[in-house]
Amino acid sequence: MNKITILIHCKDRPNIIASVTNFIAKNEGNIVYIDQFVDREQNEFFMRLESEFTDESFCTEAFKESFKTTLADIFKMKWRIYSSESKPKMALFISKYDHCLYDLLGRYNSGELNLEIPFIISNHKDLKPIADNFKIPFYHIPVTKDNKEDAAKNQLELLEEHGINFIVLARYMQIIPKSMIDKYPNKIINIHHSFLPAFIGAKPYHSAFKRGVKIIGATSHYVTEELDGGPIIEQDVTRVTHAHSIPDLIAKGRDLEKIVLANAVKLHADRKVMVYNNKTVIFS
Amino acid sequence: MNKITILIHCKDRPNIIASVTNFIAKNEGNIVYIDQFVDREQNEFFMRLESEFTDESFCTEAFKESFKTTLADIFKMKWRIYSSESKPKMALFISKYDHCLYDLLGRYNSGELNLEIPFIISNHKDLKPIADNFKIPFYHIPVTKDNKEDAAKNQLELLEEHGINFIVLARYMQIIPKSMIDKYPNKIINIHHSFLPAFIGAKPYHSAFKRGVKIIGATSHYVTEELDGGPIIEQDVTRVTHAHSIPDLIAKGRDLEKIVLANAVKLHADRKVMVYNNKTVIFS
Amino acid sequence: MNKITILIHCKDRPNIIASVTNFIAKNEGNIVYIDQFVDREQNEFFMRLESEFTDESFCTEAFKESFKTTLADIFKMKWRIYSSESKPKMALFISKYDHCLYDLLGRYNSGELNLEIPFIISNHKDLKPIADNFKIPFYHIPVTKDNKEDAAKNQLELLEEHGINFIVLARYMQIIPKSMIDKYPNKIINIHHSFLPAFIGAKPYHSAFKRGVKIIGATSHYVTEELDGGPIIEQDVTRVTHAHSIPDLIAKGRDLEKIVLANAVKLHADRKVMVYNNKTVIFS
Amino acid sequence: MNKITILIHCKDRPNIIASVTNFIAKNEGNIVYIDQFVDREQNEFFMRLESEFTDESFCTEAFKESFKTTLADIFKMKWRIYSSESKPKMALFISKYDHCLYDLLGRYNSGELNLEIPFIISNHKDLKPIADNFKIPFYHIPVTKDNKEDAAKNQLELLEEHGINFIVLARYMQIIPKSMIDKYPNKIINIHHSFLPAFIGAKPYHSAFKRGVKIIGATSHYVTEELDGGPIIEQDVTRVTHAHSIPDLIAKGRDLEKIVLANAVKLHADRKVMVYNNKTVIFS
């Protein structure tokens, strides 16, 4: 049995849903999930649909071609069709913090994540033993003031060589160069250790402490050129009090960061995120 | 412009979605919301759909008739079609606690609730002044050991006379007789002051205190013959500590009860709740 | 029986706690609550203590005098001693939004708030009927570009005349003049409809919508001259999705605002808040 | 510098706090933390106090002896005094689930937990490689219907040999024999995968699914002879919907279990938990 996921984005107009569901029916598919969203102010239409095809002769490529001419061209859709067999390939960028790394690899190991991790890249060697334990190739690419372009080139080569679909910055702590953002638009997921848009930039726990907030947060977002300004995928928060020191906030924040990043990774890997106007539509 | 909401429940089989969306398209409707759920274990299909019809000749009754013969009979659907113009009529049953009453009437007054409240019934006179302030008719129907049947008869007469669609027990504190449950199946909403199924029955805050839980909750559910055993619509919780006395739990619980009941009422009034197997499907 | 609450703030040094508890013991008081906090970085000491005195001859004024000379002067304490009999007097400033007003008056009526509300001030007449229903005097003091000083003068006269201890801005929507802030330092409580420090200023729900956050919040803080920059007393948040419109955010936010403001009012009225460095210490 | 933590439990009566703080002062200690709780209904007094002693001649054993005769005997206190230098020793009991194990060992590795883990015991060999990676001795003690007594004896020998202070059942999935509970009263921490007291016993996620709850939880508690009936240390919850299958609940629950168990372990290891009447007092 073939199972596909279809993502559609176009201007809203009558009959899109009927046309698409009809098309599926004519191709002898059974819709097992359909969700849609209309931004009525902007007049934008979004849809996510999962369909199963039991006929042995079903061919995803032919289906795509037919979809394009029958529907996508007419409704001027931006669209993507994924076979549920093809797991996305994720590159993990890390630095010296291990909590998100342990968390993601633990979930990966237990089969909770519907993706593949061909390798890990780090600008430091510290966490190589963890990669080794989980038997995932580890590339040490140091990043200094002077070698930024070379480092990015090395990274991009690895990404292309392995056919990477998206990148996760698990507390990577380095600015991503424009060249990489352009190659992976809305495909680089960062975890920022604050409740954005509060406390953009470095040391957000210190800023949160200074401001005396009663709740701290973490935010996972796609990386754009604007620092911590990309489309937000997931956020979560936890309560703090005056009695929490900065190290306490950092420790409590680690738990948030792990869960928020893991949720964002799952949503992205399951093709449940669509982006427009620097915002996300999440079909969950 | 006409706007309708369609709720469908039937055994899952191929092409339901395409058939329904096609039917809408043929009737020149534009689907503005579609959501569906399949319980794959039980093979049950659920759908909620909102559609707009701009044609002046559109007639809801004719549409319903056509829907029945073209779709519902063939797929053996349980179905309901509502015009968005018709607001459901809700009867409010109260006793002596005023917090849920104030909360619901405040929301009603501010236009937050998409419903009408033709009257309030209480077994005590205490809260009549609040009903008066909000200019809602108030019926005092005392309930004693000996007059239960008469009281229920009086209540049912009022309900029928005003064409009531659903009943909300805003801390009414009385057992609802089987005769009324049978007349309003999955149409009587109760708020229970615990995180069900923990602490069924009387004095749940006392039980929660005794057990030393660290979180208390509130649950809104449809009333069935089994005490506090009906389909759950909404739940919420809040943290407590050893330092909270029973009166503290009761005070904190009031805030939960208000919000949980208000959310359940909104979901029901907006026709977003479907029931099967003593559980709810919530399309929100 | 007399019951008092003592709040202490001074530089940290050895033996403060022992000295204070000793002093209570010598005065034949029984400590029923003690909590303390040391900011070890800043070397600041904070304490809140409740004590009961059963001796009939106990005199709060004499106790205060003795406390001052025996302890406060020596440890250079900032301190306050309250008799639990004296409820603080709160002035309520409102404008046209009624949700926080209904919520606070409902709690006030049910005895949940340990305070008195001598009157309500509004720059509009719209909500006078609610004040009337709850039988609380209502003063209509319009505020225009040209009469700001006069309006503030009128307000201040009312505040002084009634011996008001603190002011609550229940969505008052006006800038408070410096003259009033100076008279009531850390005694004017505002509710801001965002998770501060995100979305300072006007229309935070619009900004939250535009940024595409997945969680919205509300913040109650003391008013200082810096807009939305005063010490935070309480915050809370709730989840939102891409499907929530601005009116949806506003509606969801109302529930947050009510609860956050009510909690802040309770903490302040129960003398559980201390302020330093533009932050709060909350003994709850 | 010496730092000690004192836990006190006795009947409430006047002057306990003053007597204790005085005693500390006379021993030239500086109190850096004090918290107390009085259950006024039961007339029970609880206190947790941290004090620093800079004098080089300070001797914890002599202090304890003096505390006993000067205070504890007079007030009939149950009391414990810990030196902050002595980290408690924790034995980890596991079975086949690895999520809580990875989580606890990750925190242990990063220095977040103030304790030592001399060894891990499991009734299965599956997770030995994880123990090896973290370089913690692993004992495989199979448990069958017929060898329960022998297994318990082996376990108890290991516990005694290593001077274990408390035991953590990280999804151990076996009933703990009375002999072990008696040896470690309120020192065996279990994680139950439901919001107790709802869904006691086996398969709580299946029961939660069947009941159609909208929120699931996890509970960490001390093990007593009553199944899932011991004093609750920590609980947390997360929202679910009708669309979550049982495997979804299990996956979401894993995140809860990890965090709830880790928090309970931290509270216990930091000596912040006191137990009475099958409930906990948490000084956090």
Side-chain angles (χ1 to χ4, degrees):
Chain A
M1 189 180 68
N2 288 278
K3 185 168 175 182
I4 61 165
T5 300
I6 306 178
L7 296 178
I8 293 169
H9 175 194
C10 58
K11 281 288 159 193
D12 191 28
R13 49 185 259 198
N15 291 339
I16 307 175
I17 296 172
S19 305
V20 173
T21 54
N22 239 338
F23 178 80
I24 304 284
K26 278 182 189 150
N27 281 272
E28 291 175 43
N30 186 33
I31 297 169
V32 293
Y33 172 94
I34 186 168
D35 203 353
Q36 122 297 353
F37 168 64
V38 177
D39 181 332
R40 307 203 79 171
E41 240 177 79
Q42 308 270 333
N43 202 39
E44 302 279 344
F45 175 90
F46 302 85
M47 189 160 76
R48 184 176 183 280
L49 185 145
E50 291 177 15
S51 184
E52 293 170 352
F53 299 84
T54 47
D55 197 288
E56 281 185 22
S57 67
F58 180 82
C59 163
T60 306
E61 286 315 306
F63 179 85
K64 280 189 191 179
E65 187 52 36
S66 171
F67 183 91
K68 184 182 180 307
T69 51
T70 318
L71 289 172
D73 289 351
I74 289 160
F75 287 97
K76 290 177 187 155
M77 295 172 173
K78 292 180 202 170
W79 59 284
R80 284 172 288 157
I81 293 180
Y82 300 101
S83 164
S84 67
E85 274 159 48
S86 79
K87 292 187 185 184
K89 287 179 185 167
M90 163 178 128
L92 208 40
F93 281 41
I94 59 173
S95 187
K96 289 184 167 182
Y97 293 109
D98 64 4
H99 55 286
C100 286
L101 181 65
Y102 266 126
D103 184 75
L104 285 172
L105 296 184
R107 292 172 196 274
Y108 182 54
N109 236 22
S110 74
E112 192 180 315
L113 303 179
N114 197 28
L115 50 82
E116 283 172 33
I117 306 180
F119 61 86
I120 293 169
I121 284 178
S122 180
N123 56 337
H124 292 285
K125 283 185 183 167
D126 307 49
L127 303 184
K128 185 171 186 307
I130 300 177
D132 292 349
N133 282 344
F134 285 87
K135 299 190 176 62
I136 297 178
F138 178 94
Y139 296 97
H140 176 223
I141 302 181
V143 179
T144 65
K145 271 187 192 172
D146 305 323
N147 82 340
K148 286 201 174 179
E149 276 184 40
D150 281 359
K153 214 184 131 205
N154 286 353
Q155 292 169 344
L156 278 167
E157 277 170 12
L158 275 171
L159 296 169
E160 275 168 44
E161 194 181 306
H162 288 82
I164 290 300
N165 298 104
F166 73 108
I167 299 164
V168 168
L169 312 178
R171 301 296 310 274
Y172 176 54
M173 314 299 286
Q174 295 285 322
I175 302 287
I176 300 300
K178 185 174 182 314
S179 58
M180 195 173 290
I181 296 172
D182 288 346
K183 276 242 166 175
Y184 294 90
N186 297 323
K187 288 177 180 169
I188 306 176
I189 298 174
N190 186 40
I191 177 72
H192 183 71
H193 38 316
S194 87
F195 185 78
L196 288 177
F199 311 127
I200 284 165
K203 303 223 168 196
Y205 292 127
H206 290 71
S207 305
F209 179 82
K210 189 163 182 299
R211 181 62 185 92
V213 293
K214 300 301 183 188
I215 291 175
I216 58 168
T219 304
S220 190
H221 63 93
Y222 289 117
V223 174
T224 60
E225 282 188 71
E226 187 188 337
L227 181 65
D228 299 329
I232 292 170
I233 307 167
E234 170 75 329
Q235 302 189 287
D236 205 355
V237 297
T238 194
R239 291 201 168 268
V240 296
T241 75
H242 63 271
H244 287 99
S245 64
I246 291 174
D248 291 338
L249 299 190
I250 291 171
K252 278 181 85 80
R254 276 199 295 261
D255 281 345
L256 283 179
E257 295 163 29
K258 285 189 286 193
I259 285 184
V260 169
L261 181 57
N263 282 344
V265 166
K266 274 189 269 188
L267 289 169
H268 184 93
D270 292 344
R271 288 96 181 209
K272 292 182 170 171
V273 188
M274 301 185 73
V275 175
Y276 84 116
N277 276 359
N278 205 44
K279 294 163 68 168
T280 59
V281 173
I282 308 275
F283 289 119
S284 63
Chain B
M1 189 181 65
N2 289 278
K3 186 169 174 181
I4 59 165
T5 300
I6 307 178
L7 296 178
I8 294 168
H9 175 193
C10 59
K11 281 288 160 192
D12 191 28
R13 49 185 259 196
N15 292 338
I16 307 175
I17 296 172
S19 304
V20 173
T21 55
N22 238 340
F23 177 79
I24 304 285
K26 278 183 189 148
N27 281 273
E28 292 175 43
N30 186 31
I31 298 169
V32 294
Y33 171 94
I34 186 170
D35 204 352
Q36 123 296 352
F37 168 64
V38 177
D39 181 333
R40 306 204 77 172
E41 240 177 80
Q42 309 271 333
N43 202 39
E44 302 280 344
F45 175 89
F46 302 86
M47 188 159 78
R48 184 177 183 279
L49 185 145
E50 292 176 13
S51 184
E52 294 170 352
F53 299 84
T54 46
D55 198 288
E56 280 183 22
S57 67
F58 179 83
C59 162
T60 307
E61 286 315 307
F63 179 86
K64 278 189 192 179
E65 186 53 36
S66 171
F67 182 90
K68 185 182 179 308
T69 52
T70 318
L71 289 172
D73 289 352
I74 289 160
F75 286 96
K76 290 177 186 153
M77 295 172 173
K78 291 180 203 170
W79 59 282
R80 285 172 288 157
I81 293 181
Y82 301 101
S83 164
S84 68
E85 274 159 48
S86 79
K87 292 187 185 184
K89 288 180 186 164
M90 164 179 126
L92 208 38
F93 281 42
I94 60 174
S95 187
K96 290 185 167 183
Y97 293 110
D98 65 3
H99 55 287
C100 285
L101 181 65
Y102 264 127
D103 184 75
L104 285 173
L105 296 185
R107 293 172 197 273
Y108 182 54
N109 236 22
S110 74
E112 194 179 314
L113 303 181
N114 198 28
L115 50 82
E116 282 170 36
I117 307 181
F119 62 85
I120 293 170
I121 284 178
S122 180
N123 55 338
H124 293 286
K125 285 184 181 167
D126 307 47
L127 303 183
K128 186 172 185 305
I130 301 177
D132 292 348
N133 282 344
F134 284 88
K135 299 190 176 59
I136 297 178
F138 179 94
Y139 296 97
H140 175 223
I141 302 181
V143 179
T144 64
K145 272 187 193 171
D146 305 323
N147 81 341
K148 286 201 175 179
E149 275 184 42
D150 280 359
K153 213 184 132 205
N154 286 353
Q155 293 168 344
L156 278 168
E157 277 171 13
L158 275 171
L159 296 170
E160 273 169 46
E161 193 182 307
H162 288 81
I164 290 300
N165 298 105
F166 72 108
I167 299 164
V168 168
L169 312 179
R171 301 296 311 273
Y172 176 55
M173 314 299 285
Q174 294 286 323
I175 301 287
I176 300 300
K178 187 175 180 314
S179 58
M180 195 172 291
I181 297 172
D182 287 347
K183 275 242 167 175
Y184 294 90
N186 297 322
K187 288 176 181 171
I188 307 175
I189 299 175
N190 185 41
I191 177 72
H192 183 71
H193 38 316
S194 86
F195 184 78
L196 288 177
F199 310 128
I200 285 165
K203 304 225 167 195
Y205 293 127
H206 291 71
S207 306
F209 179 81
K210 188 162 183 300
R211 181 63 186 91
V213 293
K214 300 302 184 188
I215 291 175
I216 57 167
T219 303
S220 190
H221 63 93
Y222 290 117
V223 174
T224 60
E225 283 188 70
E226 189 189 337
L227 180 66
D228 300 329
I232 293 171
I233 307 167
E234 171 74 328
Q235 303 189 287
D236 205 355
V237 297
T238 193
R239 289 201 169 270
V240 295
T241 75
H242 62 272
H244 288 99
S245 63
I246 290 174
D248 291 338
L249 299 191
I250 291 171
K252 278 180 86 82
R254 277 197 295 262
D255 281 345
L256 282 179
E257 294 164 30
K258 286 188 285 193
I259 286 184
V260 168
L261 181 58
N263 282 344
V265 167
K266 275 189 268 188
L267 289 169
H268 184 93
D270 293 344
R271 289 97 182 207
K272 291 181 170 171
V273 188
M274 300 185 74
V275 175
Y276 83 117
N277 275 1
N278 204 43
K279 294 165 66 169
T280 60
V281 173
I282 308 276
F283 289 119
S284 63
Chain C
M1 189 182 65
N2 288 279
K3 186 169 174 182
I4 61 165
T5 300
I6 307 178
L7 296 178
I8 294 169
H9 175 195
C10 59
K11 281 288 160 192
D12 190 29
R13 48 186 258 199
N15 291 339
I16 306 175
I17 295 171
S19 304
V20 173
T21 53
N22 237 340
F23 177 79
I24 304 286
K26 278 182 189 151
N27 281 271
E28 292 175 43
N30 186 31
I31 297 170
V32 293
Y33 171 93
I34 185 168
D35 204 351
Q36 121 298 351
F37 168 63
V38 177
D39 181 333
R40 306 203 78 171
E41 240 177 78
Q42 308 270 334
N43 203 37
E44 303 279 345
F45 175 90
F46 303 86
M47 188 159 80
R48 185 176 182 280
L49 186 145
E50 292 177 13
S51 184
E52 294 171 352
F53 298 84
T54 47
D55 197 288
E56 281 184 23
S57 68
F58 180 82
C59 162
T60 307
E61 286 315 305
F63 180 84
K64 278 190 191 179
E65 186 53 35
S66 171
F67 184 91
K68 184 182 179 308
T69 51
T70 318
L71 288 172
D73 289 352
I74 288 160
F75 286 97
K76 290 177 185 152
M77 294 171 173
K78 291 181 203 169
W79 59 283
R80 284 173 288 157
I81 293 180
Y82 301 101
S83 164
S84 68
E85 274 158 46
S86 79
K87 291 187 183 184
K89 287 179 185 165
M90 164 179 126
L92 208 38
F93 282 42
I94 60 173
S95 188
K96 290 185 167 182
Y97 293 110
D98 64 4
H99 55 287
C100 286
L101 182 64
Y102 264 127
D103 184 75
L104 285 173
L105 295 185
R107 291 171 197 275
Y108 182 54
N109 236 22
S110 75
E112 192 180 314
L113 303 180
N114 198 28
L115 49 82
E116 282 171 34
I117 305 180
F119 62 85
I120 293 169
I121 284 177
S122 181
N123 55 337
H124 292 286
K125 283 185 183 167
D126 308 47
L127 304 184
K128 186 172 185 306
I130 301 177
D132 292 349
N133 281 345
F134 284 88
K135 299 190 175 61
I136 297 177
F138 179 93
Y139 295 96
H140 175 224
I141 303 181
V143 179
T144 65
K145 272 187 193 172
D146 305 323
N147 82 339
K148 286 202 175 179
E149 276 185 40
D150 281 358
K153 214 185 131 205
N154 286 354
Q155 292 169 344
L156 279 167
E157 278 170 12
L158 275 171
L159 295 170
E160 275 168 45
E161 194 181 306
H162 288 81
I164 290 300
N165 298 105
F166 73 107
I167 299 164
V168 168
L169 312 178
R171 300 296 311 273
Y172 176 56
M173 313 299 285
Q174 295 286 323
I175 302 286
I176 300 301
K178 186 176 181 312
S179 58
M180 195 172 291
I181 297 172
D182 288 346
K183 275 243 167 174
Y184 294 89
N186 297 323
K187 288 176 179 169
I188 306 175
I189 298 175
N190 186 39
I191 177 71
H192 183 71
H193 38 316
S194 86
F195 184 80
L196 289 176
F199 311 129
I200 284 165
K203 304 225 165 193
Y205 292 127
H206 290 71
S207 305
F209 179 81
K210 189 162 184 300
R211 181 62 186 91
V213 292
K214 300 301 184 189
I215 292 175
I216 58 168
T219 305
S220 190
H221 63 93
Y222 290 117
V223 174
T224 60
E225 284 188 70
E226 189 188 337
L227 181 65
D228 299 330
I232 293 170
I233 307 166
E234 172 73 329
Q235 303 189 287
D236 205 354
V237 297
T238 193
R239 290 202 169 268
V240 295
T241 75
H242 62 271
H244 287 99
S245 63
I246 290 174
D248 292 338
L249 299 190
I250 291 171
K252 278 181 85 80
R254 277 198 294 262
D255 281 345
L256 282 179
E257 295 163 30
K258 286 188 285 193
I259 285 184
V260 169
L261 181 58
N263 282 344
V265 166
K266 275 189 268 188
L267 289 169
H268 184 92
D270 292 345
R271 289 98 181 207
K272 290 181 170 171
V273 188
M274 302 185 73
V275 174
Y276 84 116
N277 276 0
N278 205 44
K279 294 164 68 168
T280 59
V281 173
I282 309 276
F283 289 119
S284 63
Chain D
M1 190 180 69
N2 289 279
K3 186 169 174 181
I4 60 164
T5 299
I6 307 177
L7 296 178
I8 293 168
H9 175 195
C10 58
K11 281 287 159 192
D12 191 28
R13 50 185 257 198
N15 292 338
I16 307 175
I17 296 171
S19 304
V20 173
T21 55
N22 239 339
F23 177 79
I24 304 285
K26 278 184 189 149
N27 281 272
E28 292 176 43
N30 187 32
I31 297 169
V32 293
Y33 172 93
I34 186 169
D35 203 352
Q36 124 296 353
F37 168 63
V38 177
D39 181 333
R40 306 203 79 172
E41 238 177 81
Q42 307 271 332
N43 202 39
E44 303 279 343
F45 175 90
F46 302 85
M47 188 159 78
R48 185 177 182 278
L49 185 146
E50 292 177 14
S51 183
E52 293 171 352
F53 299 84
T54 47
D55 197 289
E56 280 183 22
S57 68
F58 179 83
C59 163
T60 306
E61 286 314 307
F63 179 86
K64 279 189 191 179
E65 186 53 37
S66 171
F67 182 90
K68 183 181 180 309
T69 52
T70 317
L71 289 172
D73 289 351
I74 290 161
F75 287 95
K76 291 177 187 155
M77 295 172 173
K78 290 181 202 169
W79 59 283
R80 286 173 287 157
I81 293 181
Y82 300 101
S83 163
S84 68
E85 274 160 47
S86 79
K87 292 187 184 182
K89 287 179 186 165
M90 163 178 127
L92 208 39
F93 281 42
I94 60 174
S95 186
K96 289 184 168 184
Y97 292 111
D98 64 3
H99 56 286
C100 286
L101 181 65
Y102 264 127
D103 184 75
L104 285 173
L105 296 184
R107 293 172 196 273
Y108 182 55
N109 237 21
S110 74
E112 193 179 313
L113 303 180
N114 197 31
L115 50 82
E116 282 172 34
I117 306 180
F119 62 85
I120 293 169
I121 285 177
S122 180
N123 55 336
H124 293 285
K125 284 184 181 167
D126 306 48
L127 304 183
K128 185 171 186 306
I130 301 177
D132 292 349
N133 282 344
F134 284 88
K135 300 190 176 61
I136 296 177
F138 178 93
Y139 296 97
H140 175 224
I141 302 181
V143 179
T144 65
K145 271 188 193 171
D146 305 323
N147 81 340
K148 286 202 176 179
E149 275 185 41
D150 280 359
K153 213 184 132 204
N154 285 353
Q155 292 169 344
L156 278 167
E157 277 171 14
L158 274 171
L159 296 170
E160 274 168 44
E161 194 182 305
H162 288 83
I164 290 301
N165 298 105
F166 72 107
I167 299 164
V168 168
L169 312 179
R171 303 295 311 273
Y172 176 56
M173 314 299 285
Q174 294 286 323
I175 303 286
I176 300 300
K178 185 173 182 314
S179 59
M180 195 173 289
I181 296 173
D182 289 345
K183 275 242 168 176
Y184 294 90
N186 297 323
K187 288 176 180 169
I188 306 175
I189 298 175
N190 186 40
I191 177 72
H192 183 72
H193 38 316
S194 87
F195 184 79
L196 289 177
F199 309 129
I200 284 166
K203 304 224 167 195
Y205 293 127
H206 290 70
S207 305
F209 178 81
K210 188 162 184 300
R211 181 62 185 93
V213 293
K214 299 302 183 188
I215 291 176
I216 57 167
T219 305
S220 190
H221 63 94
Y222 290 116
V223 174
T224 59
E225 283 187 70
E226 188 189 338
L227 180 66
D228 299 328
I232 293 171
I233 307 168
E234 171 75 330
Q235 301 189 289
D236 205 355
V237 297
T238 194
R239 289 201 170 269
V240 296
T241 76
H242 63 272
H244 287 99
S245 63
I246 291 174
D248 291 338
L249 299 191
I250 291 171
K252 279 181 85 81
R254 277 198 294 262
D255 281 345
L256 282 179
E257 295 163 30
K258 286 189 286 192
I259 285 183
V260 168
L261 180 58
N263 283 344
V265 167
K266 275 189 268 188
L267 289 169
H268 184 93
D270 293 344
R271 287 96 181 209
K272 291 180 170 172
V273 187
M274 300 184 75
V275 175
Y276 83 117
N277 275 359
N278 205 43
K279 294 164 66 168
T280 60
V281 173
I282 309 275
F283 290 120
S284 63

